[in-house]
Amino acid sequence: QLRHADRIELLCGRSYEPTAGRRFDRVVSNPPYLSESERGGLSPELRHEPQRALFAGAEGLDVLSELVMGAGAMLEPGGWLLVELAAEQASGIALSCRAAGAESVQIHRDLADQPRVVAARFGGR
């Protein structure tokens, strides 16, 4: 049983479309981030996934870029954007977060010691 299930709302749509006009303390996303060049070499555990859940344009950055560029308008002051991404995308997305106005950016590593999550704080309180 989920402890705070009554506080969870699941919405479906691209990027921030389903939440237009609302602001949040946190935006947490595991967006599609694979590049089109990776389409032919999927590992067996990913082959059952819907293609739109995996691939995000030529470099895999289409959705990540949307999330970063829109974060300032979607987050309350001091809010955090956390996104999962490919290891090779972490430093570029961290720079994009800073360019989009993030005042604090952190890169977190996974259990294999690979950069896997960028956390960016927008606008202090």
Side-chain angles (χ1 to χ4, degrees):
Q1 179 174 343
L2 291 173
R3 187 168 175 209
H4 295 287
D6 60 323
R7 295 173 46 189
I8 297 172
E9 180 181 4
L10 300 176
L11 303 171
C12 184
R14 183 174 175 103
S15 190
Y16 297 114
E17 285 177 7
T19 58
R22 295 168 66 184
R23 294 176 68 93
F24 301 91
D25 292 322
R26 305 280 185 277
V27 171
V28 179
S29 180
N30 179 4
Y33 56 80
L34 297 179
S35 67
E36 289 299 326
S37 65
E38 296 174 272
R39 194 175 285 275
L42 284 181
S43 60
E45 63 269 11
L46 292 179
R47 290 190 186 129
H48 71 279
E49 296 285 342
Q51 300 293 292
R52 69 183 189 168
L54 300 173
F55 299 99
E59 297 177 27
L61 297 172
D62 290 3
V63 179
L64 284 165
S65 296
E66 284 180 32
L67 291 171
V68 169
M69 296 311 296
M74 292 303 300
L75 291 167
E76 293 288 349
W80 286 87
L81 170 69
L82 296 100
V83 291
E84 180 179 339
L85 37 63
E88 63 274 4
Q89 296 167 329
S91 61
I93 292 298
L95 288 172
S96 294
C97 287
R98 286 185 187 94
E103 63 183 32
S104 173
V105 179
Q106 304 163 4
I107 298 175
H108 298 277
R109 295 179 171 273
D110 63 15
L111 295 176
D113 201 34
Q114 296 296 307
R116 187 60 61 200
V117 172
V118 169
R121 184 172 184 254
F122 286 78
R125 288 192 173 159

XYZ file of all heavy atoms in Angstrom, residues 8-100:
691
model
N -0.927 11.505 -4.934
C -0.310 11.231 -6.227
C -1.341 11.407 -7.325
O -2.454 10.894 -7.236
C 0.259 9.798 -6.272
C 1.374 9.654 -5.239
C 0.776 9.471 -7.667
C 1.867 8.241 -5.075
N -0.969 12.138 -8.342
C -1.825 12.325 -9.508
C -1.015 11.962 -10.745
O 0.059 12.530 -10.976
C -2.272 13.783 -9.592
C -3.167 14.076 -10.763
C -3.576 15.541 -10.836
O -3.086 16.350 -10.010
O -4.364 15.864 -11.710
N -1.471 11.000 -11.515
C -0.791 10.586 -12.727
C -1.469 11.226 -13.924
O -2.687 11.138 -14.075
C -0.803 9.066 -12.861
C -0.133 8.294 -11.720
C -0.309 6.801 -11.918
C 1.331 8.660 -11.596
N -0.666 11.878 -14.773
C -1.177 12.537 -15.960
C -0.394 12.044 -17.158
O 0.786 11.716 -17.037
C -1.026 14.060 -15.842
C -1.688 14.694 -14.620
C -1.275 16.148 -14.504
C -3.190 14.568 -14.731
N -1.014 12.020 -18.299
C -0.356 11.551 -19.513
C -0.282 12.683 -20.527
O -1.263 13.392 -20.742
C -1.145 10.368 -20.089
S -0.363 9.641 -21.533
N 0.857 12.846 -21.136
C 1.030 13.869 -22.158
C 2.499 14.145 -22.379
O 3.363 13.594 -21.697
N 2.791 15.008 -23.310
C 4.178 15.343 -23.623
C 4.655 16.502 -22.757
O 3.990 17.525 -22.650
C 4.312 15.700 -25.095
C 5.753 15.977 -25.476
C 5.911 16.194 -26.951
N 7.270 16.568 -27.230
C 8.177 15.743 -27.736
N 7.834 14.511 -28.023
N 9.400 16.159 -27.968
N 5.817 16.307 -22.170
C 6.496 17.341 -21.405
C 5.551 17.944 -20.364
O 4.945 17.225 -19.580
C 7.059 18.398 -22.358
O 7.913 19.285 -21.707
N 5.379 19.259 -20.375
C 4.563 19.920 -19.354
C 3.120 20.181 -19.805
O 2.357 20.797 -19.068
C 5.212 21.247 -18.955
C 6.574 21.096 -18.330
C 7.714 21.567 -18.957
C 6.710 20.482 -17.090
C 8.963 21.434 -18.375
C 7.954 20.337 -16.498
C 9.071 20.818 -17.150
O 10.309 20.682 -16.569
N 2.725 19.706 -20.979
C 1.375 19.974 -21.490
C 0.262 19.645 -20.502
O -0.629 20.460 -20.286
C 1.139 19.224 -22.805
C 1.837 19.823 -23.987
C 1.631 18.983 -25.246
O 0.837 18.023 -25.224
O 2.276 19.318 -26.249
N 0.260 18.465 -19.872
C -0.865 18.121 -18.989
C -0.956 18.974 -17.725
O -1.958 18.957 -17.042
C -0.606 16.664 -18.609
C 0.428 16.171 -19.528
C 1.189 17.351 -20.015
N 0.102 19.707 -17.419
C 0.120 20.479 -16.177
C 0.203 21.980 -16.427
O 0.562 22.740 -15.521
C 1.311 20.048 -15.295
O 2.519 20.231 -16.037
C 1.166 18.608 -14.865
N -0.144 22.407 -17.612
C -0.060 23.830 -17.963
C -0.790 24.687 -16.928
O -1.886 24.358 -16.486
C -0.649 24.065 -19.346
N -0.138 25.762 -16.503
C -0.734 26.678 -15.541
C -0.532 26.296 -14.086
O -0.938 27.024 -13.193
N 0.087 25.161 -13.831
C 0.335 24.727 -12.456
C 1.827 24.825 -12.165
O 2.649 24.821 -13.062
C -0.139 23.284 -12.279
C -1.651 23.178 -12.442
C -2.131 21.758 -12.561
N -1.919 20.980 -11.347
C -2.201 19.684 -11.259
N -2.703 19.035 -12.288
N -1.989 19.034 -10.137
N 2.170 24.916 -10.885
C 3.575 24.968 -10.470
C 3.814 23.906 -9.405
O 2.916 23.560 -8.639
C 3.928 26.358 -9.965
C 3.867 27.395 -11.089
C 4.108 28.797 -10.592
N 5.455 29.020 -10.124
C 6.455 29.495 -10.874
N 6.254 29.766 -12.137
N 7.647 29.705 -10.349
N 5.050 23.429 -9.353
C 5.378 22.299 -8.493
C 6.665 22.542 -7.722
O 7.527 23.305 -8.148
C 5.522 21.028 -9.335
C 4.275 20.698 -10.099
C 4.086 21.183 -11.392
C 3.289 19.934 -9.530
C 2.929 20.900 -12.090
C 2.119 19.640 -10.218
C 1.942 20.124 -11.500
N 6.811 21.837 -6.597
C 8.054 21.853 -5.835
C 9.104 20.943 -6.462
O 10.287 21.187 -6.343
C 7.828 21.400 -4.389
C 6.997 22.390 -3.600
O 7.175 23.601 -3.789
O 6.169 21.947 -2.795
N 8.642 19.879 -7.096
C 9.534 18.909 -7.725
C 8.939 18.448 -9.048
O 7.735 18.202 -9.139
C 9.713 17.651 -6.869
C 10.170 17.858 -5.462
C 11.671 18.085 -5.384
N 12.149 18.184 -4.019
C 12.111 19.278 -3.279
N 11.549 20.380 -3.747
N 12.609 19.299 -2.065
N 9.797 18.290 -10.021
C 9.447 17.603 -11.259
C 10.481 16.491 -11.401
O 11.683 16.746 -11.444
C 9.489 18.535 -12.485
C 9.348 17.741 -13.777
C 8.405 19.605 -12.386
N 10.007 15.248 -11.414
C 10.875 14.081 -11.505
C 10.472 13.320 -12.759
O 9.295 13.003 -12.941
C 10.717 13.175 -10.258
C 11.611 11.957 -10.363
C 11.009 13.967 -8.987
N 11.452 13.045 -13.616
C 11.116 12.418 -14.885
C 12.156 11.387 -15.307
O 13.358 11.589 -15.137
C 11.014 13.499 -15.976
O 10.681 12.914 -17.214
N 11.657 10.308 -15.851
C 12.481 9.318 -16.542
C 12.029 9.373 -17.995
O 11.294 8.511 -18.467
C 12.278 7.933 -15.938
C 13.097 6.881 -16.638
O 13.881 7.167 -17.525
N 12.898 5.637 -16.251
N 12.455 10.419 -18.715
C 11.954 10.625 -20.078
C 12.678 9.729 -21.079
O 13.717 9.138 -20.763
C 12.311 12.091 -20.334
C 13.600 12.265 -19.601
C 13.422 11.445 -18.337
N 12.156 9.654 -22.293
C 12.927 8.985 -23.343
C 14.222 9.770 -23.562
O 14.191 10.998 -23.591
C 12.029 9.067 -24.575
C 10.825 9.825 -24.189
C 10.916 10.205 -22.763
N 15.354 9.064 -23.674
C 16.619 9.765 -23.869
C 17.592 9.023 -24.778
O 18.756 9.403 -24.893
C 17.287 10.092 -22.531
C 17.543 8.913 -21.616
C 18.634 8.072 -21.814
C 16.717 8.676 -20.539
C 18.866 7.010 -20.965
C 16.949 7.621 -19.674
C 18.030 6.792 -19.892
O 18.276 5.748 -19.043
N 17.133 7.981 -25.454
C 18.007 7.277 -26.379
C 17.997 7.980 -27.738
O 16.976 8.493 -28.174
C 17.558 5.829 -26.551
C 17.611 4.956 -25.305
C 17.121 3.556 -25.622
C 19.003 4.934 -24.704
N 19.144 7.953 -28.410
C 19.250 8.558 -29.743
C 18.763 7.571 -30.800
O 18.722 6.357 -30.576
C 20.696 8.947 -30.033
O 21.501 7.785 -30.150
N 18.409 8.099 -31.945
C 17.944 7.251 -33.050
C 19.009 6.235 -33.464
O 18.685 5.132 -33.877
C 17.535 8.108 -34.245
C 16.258 8.887 -34.030
C 15.050 8.000 -33.775
O 14.958 6.883 -34.339
O 14.172 8.416 -33.003
N 20.276 6.580 -33.330
C 21.345 5.658 -33.713
C 21.391 4.419 -32.814
O 21.986 3.413 -33.180
C 22.695 6.373 -33.698
O 23.025 6.771 -32.381
N 20.756 4.481 -31.649
C 20.744 3.348 -30.728
C 19.583 2.384 -30.984
O 19.489 1.340 -30.344
C 20.672 3.854 -29.284
C 21.884 4.665 -28.874
C 21.736 5.283 -27.512
O 21.206 6.405 -27.441
O 22.147 4.630 -26.530
N 18.725 2.731 -31.922
C 17.518 1.945 -32.185
C 17.821 0.492 -32.522
O 17.127 -0.416 -32.077
C 16.702 2.602 -33.301
C 15.304 2.076 -33.413
C 14.501 2.847 -34.457
N 14.092 4.156 -34.000
C 13.002 4.403 -33.278
N 12.226 3.410 -32.909
N 12.694 5.630 -32.929
N 18.860 0.229 -33.277
C 19.158 -1.130 -33.701
C 19.868 -1.979 -32.667
O 19.933 -3.195 -32.803
N 20.391 -1.390 -31.625
C 21.185 -2.142 -30.670
C 20.600 -2.218 -29.281
O 21.344 -2.231 -28.306
N 19.285 -2.274 -29.186
C 18.645 -2.327 -27.867
C 18.971 -3.620 -27.135
O 19.004 -4.697 -27.731
C 17.132 -2.224 -28.000
C 16.545 -0.860 -28.291
C 15.033 -0.961 -28.349
C 16.960 0.154 -27.257
N 19.182 -3.512 -25.848
C 19.388 -4.707 -25.038
C 18.066 -5.467 -24.939
O 16.988 -4.878 -25.065
C 19.904 -4.320 -23.655
O 18.981 -3.498 -22.999
N 18.143 -6.769 -24.712
C 16.911 -7.582 -24.678
C 15.856 -7.074 -23.697
O 14.666 -7.126 -23.983
C 17.412 -8.965 -24.256
C 18.837 -8.995 -24.673
C 19.344 -7.583 -24.537
N 16.279 -6.548 -22.540
C 15.295 -6.101 -21.554
C 14.543 -4.849 -21.983
O 13.519 -4.506 -21.398
C 15.934 -5.904 -20.174
C 17.001 -4.845 -20.114
C 18.409 -5.360 -20.372
O 18.584 -6.504 -20.814
O 19.353 -4.593 -20.120
N 15.024 -4.145 -23.012
C 14.340 -2.938 -23.483
C 13.486 -3.177 -24.727
O 12.693 -2.322 -25.103
C 15.354 -1.831 -23.788
C 16.094 -1.252 -22.597
C 17.079 -0.193 -23.062
C 15.125 -0.664 -21.597
N 13.619 -4.316 -25.351
C 12.915 -4.560 -26.622
C 11.401 -4.595 -26.488
O 10.693 -4.384 -27.455
C 13.432 -5.848 -27.253
C 14.846 -5.677 -27.753
C 15.315 -6.839 -28.591
N 16.717 -6.632 -28.897
C 17.646 -7.536 -28.707
N 17.336 -8.738 -28.252
N 18.895 -7.270 -28.992
N 10.891 -4.836 -25.304
C 9.431 -4.881 -25.111
C 8.847 -3.497 -24.837
O 7.638 -3.322 -24.836
C 9.085 -5.832 -23.961
C 9.466 -5.297 -22.615
N 10.749 -5.375 -22.139
C 8.745 -4.653 -21.671
C 10.790 -4.806 -20.947
N 9.594 -4.355 -20.634
N 9.702 -2.512 -24.575
C 9.231 -1.162 -24.245
C 8.676 -0.454 -25.483
O 9.179 -0.648 -26.585
C 10.385 -0.318 -23.683
C 10.950 -0.815 -22.382
C 10.046 -0.534 -21.199
O 9.156 0.331 -21.299
O 10.236 -1.199 -20.167
N 7.669 0.395 -25.304
C 7.175 1.194 -26.435
C 8.292 2.108 -26.944
O 9.036 2.694 -26.149
C 6.043 2.031 -25.832
C 5.702 1.370 -24.537
C 6.926 0.647 -24.072
N 8.422 2.220 -28.239
C 9.490 3.013 -28.841
C 9.471 4.469 -28.379
O 10.511 5.057 -28.141
C 9.395 2.950 -30.367
C 9.520 1.543 -30.924
C 10.911 0.969 -30.709
O 11.865 1.428 -31.300
N 11.017 -0.025 -29.847
N 8.294 5.044 -28.203
C 8.224 6.447 -27.793
C 8.649 6.657 -26.347
O 8.903 7.774 -25.927
C 6.844 7.033 -28.058
C 5.769 6.469 -27.180
C 4.438 7.041 -27.563
N 3.463 6.647 -26.567
C 2.284 7.141 -26.470
N 1.900 8.071 -27.316
N 1.469 6.739 -25.549
N 8.734 5.577 -25.578
C 9.227 5.674 -24.209
C 10.751 5.635 -24.152
O 11.337 5.900 -23.104
C 8.662 4.539 -23.366
N 11.384 5.336 -25.276
C 12.834 5.173 -25.308
C 13.562 6.237 -26.118
O 14.579 6.762 -25.677
C 13.186 3.797 -25.883
C 12.656 2.579 -25.133
C 12.946 1.315 -25.921
C 13.258 2.499 -23.751
N 13.059 6.540 -27.308
C 13.803 7.361 -28.265
C 13.309 8.800 -28.297
O 12.117 9.060 -28.276
C 13.712 6.733 -29.659
C 14.300 5.356 -29.693
C 13.485 4.248 -29.617
C 15.661 5.178 -29.733
C 14.017 2.973 -29.615
C 16.217 3.914 -29.727
C 15.392 2.802 -29.662
N 14.288 9.720 -28.360
C 13.958 11.151 -28.320
C 14.819 11.928 -29.310
O 15.660 12.743 -28.939
C 14.143 11.687 -26.909
N 14.642 11.626 -30.579
C 15.318 12.389 -31.615
C 16.719 11.902 -31.938
O 17.209 10.922 -31.393
N 17.371 12.642 -32.824
C 18.671 12.245 -33.351
C 19.716 12.038 -32.262
O 20.508 11.102 -32.316
C 19.160 13.285 -34.357
N 19.729 12.896 -31.257
C 20.728 12.797 -30.195
C 20.140 12.339 -28.859
O 20.855 12.277 -27.857
C 21.418 14.145 -30.014
C 22.194 14.571 -31.252
C 22.807 15.945 -31.089
O 23.087 16.353 -29.939
O 23.010 16.607 -32.117
N 18.831 12.065 -28.834
C 18.179 11.635 -27.603
C 17.878 12.769 -26.646
O 17.555 12.538 -25.483
N 17.955 13.995 -27.133
C 17.814 15.155 -26.253
C 16.497 15.907 -26.407
O 16.261 16.873 -25.668
C 18.971 16.131 -26.497
C 20.362 15.591 -26.185
C 21.429 16.570 -26.641
C 20.490 15.285 -24.707
N 15.642 15.494 -27.316
C 14.423 16.266 -27.595
C 13.574 16.496 -26.340
O 13.191 17.634 -26.044
C 13.580 15.587 -28.675
C 14.223 15.649 -30.054
O 15.346 16.168 -30.180
O 13.588 15.152 -31.006
N 13.268 15.460 -25.601
C 12.407 15.599 -24.430
C 13.179 16.216 -23.258
O 12.653 17.083 -22.554
C 11.771 14.251 -24.035
C 10.898 14.402 -22.806
C 10.939 13.701 -25.198
N 14.407 15.782 -23.061
C 15.223 16.363 -21.984
C 15.331 17.874 -22.144
O 15.193 18.623 -21.178
C 16.625 15.747 -21.984
C 16.742 14.343 -21.409
C 18.080 13.720 -21.790
C 16.568 14.366 -19.908
N 15.571 18.332 -23.354
C 15.684 19.774 -23.599
C 14.389 20.505 -23.270
O 14.418 21.584 -22.677
C 16.091 20.031 -25.048
O 17.377 19.512 -25.291
N 13.249 19.924 -23.651
C 11.950 20.522 -23.320
C 11.762 20.641 -21.808
O 11.297 21.665 -21.306
C 10.801 19.677 -23.878
C 10.578 19.803 -25.349
C 9.403 18.928 -25.796
O 8.449 18.746 -25.006
O 9.454 18.433 -26.932
N 12.121 19.576 -21.101
C 11.965 19.585 -19.652
C 12.836 20.657 -19.002
O 12.390 21.380 -18.110
C 12.297 18.213 -19.071
C 11.308 17.098 -19.408
C 11.866 15.749 -18.972
C 9.955 17.359 -18.759
N 14.068 20.773 -19.449
C 14.985 21.769 -18.884
C 14.513 23.182 -19.203
O 14.437 24.035 -18.316
C 16.424 21.539 -19.395
C 17.324 22.715 -19.041
C 16.986 20.235 -18.839
N 14.170 23.435 -20.452
C 13.791 24.795 -20.859
C 12.494 25.252 -20.193
O 12.309 26.433 -19.932
C 13.679 24.892 -22.377
C 15.005 24.646 -23.092
S 16.406 25.593 -22.431
C 15.900 27.241 -22.782
N 11.597 24.343 -19.884
C 10.332 24.710 -19.266
C 10.327 24.661 -17.752
O 9.354 25.069 -17.117
N 11.406 24.197 -17.149
C 11.430 23.985 -15.699
C 11.210 25.269 -14.910
O 10.471 25.265 -13.920
C 12.742 23.328 -15.278
N 11.824 26.353 -15.311
C 11.689 27.603 -14.569
C 10.249 28.065 -14.437
O 9.842 28.588 -13.397
N 9.448 27.842 -15.470
C 8.040 28.250 -15.447
C 7.162 27.259 -14.679
O 6.089 27.623 -14.217
C 7.518 28.391 -16.876
N 7.612 26.016 -14.534
C 6.798 24.991 -13.884
C 7.086 24.827 -12.402
O 6.282 24.266 -11.667
C 7.021 23.636 -14.570
C 6.491 23.564 -15.980
S 4.736 23.940 -16.104
C 4.023 22.683 -15.091
N 8.243 25.311 -11.960
C 8.654 25.076 -10.586
C 8.405 26.295 -9.698
O 8.606 27.430 -10.113
C 10.141 24.722 -10.544
C 10.502 23.375 -11.150
C 12.003 23.269 -11.357
C 9.991 22.245 -10.273
N 8.001 26.007 -8.484
C 7.935 27.052 -7.462
C 9.355 27.528 -7.199
O 10.315 26.784 -7.451
C 7.330 26.485 -6.168
C 5.880 26.098 -6.261
C 4.947 27.294 -6.334
O 5.391 28.431 -6.106
O 3.760 27.075 -6.609
N 9.533 28.730 -6.672
C 10.889 29.165 -6.318
C 11.547 28.157 -5.381
O 10.948 27.720 -4.401
C 10.653 30.506 -5.618
C 9.368 31.001 -6.198
C 8.535 29.771 -6.411
N 12.749 27.759 -5.739
C 13.467 26.761 -4.952
C 13.136 25.337 -5.340
O 13.639 24.393 -4.734
N 12.308 25.152 -6.372
C 11.908 23.816 -6.802
C 13.016 23.091 -7.549
O 13.939 23.699 -8.083
N 12.889 21.786 -7.589
C 13.902 20.932 -8.195
C 13.367 20.196 -9.420
O 12.252 19.678 -9.410
C 14.375 19.877 -7.203
C 15.271 20.403 -6.136
C 14.887 20.943 -4.943
C 16.694 20.441 -6.169
N 15.999 21.314 -4.226
C 17.130 21.010 -4.941
C 17.646 20.042 -7.099
C 18.470 21.187 -4.634
C 18.982 20.219 -6.792
C 19.387 20.791 -5.572
N 14.196 20.120 -10.445
C 13.985 19.255 -11.604
C 14.974 18.107 -11.473
O 16.176 18.338 -11.295
C 14.240 20.018 -12.906
C 14.289 19.162 -14.175
C 12.905 18.600 -14.500
C 14.827 19.976 -15.347
N 14.484 16.869 -11.538
C 15.343 15.692 -11.508
C 15.016 14.843 -12.727
O 13.846 14.474 -12.926
C 15.123 14.876 -10.236
C 15.501 15.602 -8.952
C 14.263 16.160 -8.275
C 16.248 14.672 -8.038
N 16.027 14.558 -13.556
C 15.805 13.771 -14.763
C 16.830 12.650 -14.871
O 18.009 12.840 -14.600
C 15.852 14.639 -16.048
C 14.665 15.576 -16.121
C 17.156 15.405 -16.167
N 16.337 11.489 -15.260
C 17.233 10.385 -15.588
C 17.684 10.585 -17.023
O 16.923 11.064 -17.870
C 16.530 9.039 -15.442
C 17.455 7.885 -15.784
C 16.826 6.520 -15.630
O 15.824 6.387 -14.907
O 17.350 5.576 -16.238
N 18.923 10.189 -17.304
C 19.461 10.353 -18.648
C 20.595 9.374 -18.889
O 20.991 8.627 -18.000
C 19.934 11.802 -18.869
C 20.604 12.561 -17.725
C 21.884 11.953 -17.262
C 20.771 13.994 -18.106
N 21.110 9.375 -20.102
C 22.261 8.549 -20.447
C 23.521 9.208 -19.892
O 23.611 10.443 -19.818
C 22.367 8.394 -21.963
N 24.492 8.403 -19.520
C 25.707 8.919 -18.891
C 26.370 10.008 -19.725
O 26.799 11.035 -19.184
C 26.686 7.767 -18.653
N 26.412 9.834 -21.028
C 27.091 10.808 -21.889
C 26.308 12.115 -22.052
O 26.824 13.087 -22.576
C 27.412 10.210 -23.264
C 26.215 9.806 -24.073
C 25.686 8.404 -23.782
O 26.196 7.711 -22.870
O 24.732 8.005 -24.473
N 25.071 12.160 -21.583
C 24.257 13.376 -21.673
C 24.348 14.245 -20.419
O 23.948 15.407 -20.436
C 22.782 13.007 -21.893
C 22.526 12.294 -23.200
C 21.147 11.666 -23.241
O 20.607 11.258 -22.219
N 20.585 11.586 -24.434
N 24.866 13.713 -19.341
C 24.794 14.376 -18.037
C 25.451 15.750 -18.022
O 24.842 16.725 -17.571
C 25.393 13.486 -16.949
N 26.667 15.868 -18.499
C 27.347 17.166 -18.410
C 26.677 18.206 -19.291
O 26.534 19.368 -18.883
C 28.831 17.031 -18.743
O 29.005 16.562 -20.056
N 26.229 17.828 -20.483
C 25.536 18.770 -21.363
C 24.210 19.235 -20.792
O 23.878 20.424 -20.863
N 23.449 18.322 -20.205
C 22.169 18.702 -19.605
C 22.403 19.552 -18.357
O 21.664 20.501 -18.096
C 21.306 17.459 -19.305
C 20.851 16.816 -20.618
C 20.107 17.801 -18.431
C 19.971 17.697 -21.508
N 23.446 19.258 -17.597
C 23.776 20.094 -16.435
C 24.074 21.522 -16.895
O 23.596 22.489 -16.282
C 24.961 19.505 -15.683
N 24.829 21.681 -17.974
C 25.111 23.013 -18.517
C 23.835 23.691 -19.007
O 23.641 24.888 -18.802
C 26.124 22.921 -19.651
C 27.560 22.614 -19.245
C 28.424 22.363 -20.479
C 28.137 23.732 -18.402
N 22.951 22.924 -19.636
C 21.677 23.475 -20.109
C 20.824 23.957 -18.942
O 20.151 24.985 -19.041
C 20.897 22.424 -20.914
O 21.570 22.104 -22.098
N 20.850 23.229 -17.837
C 20.103 23.646 -16.644
C 20.628 24.981 -16.131
O 19.840 25.876 -15.793
C 20.208 22.587 -15.550
S 19.241 21.090 -15.867
N 21.940 25.127 -16.088
C 22.516 26.400 -15.637
C 22.116 27.532 -16.581
O 21.760 28.625 -16.141
C 24.029 26.278 -15.530
C 24.465 25.471 -14.334
C 25.985 25.456 -14.154
N 26.356 24.539 -13.106
C 26.700 23.266 -13.306
N 26.735 22.772 -14.524
N 27.030 22.497 -12.289
N 22.171 27.257 -17.875
C 21.790 28.268 -18.870
C 20.318 28.639 -18.759
O 19.932 29.765 -19.071
C 22.110 27.766 -20.277
N 19.486 27.693 -18.298
C 18.046 27.934 -18.159
C 17.699 28.598 -16.830
O 16.534 28.825 -16.539
C 17.277 26.620 -18.303
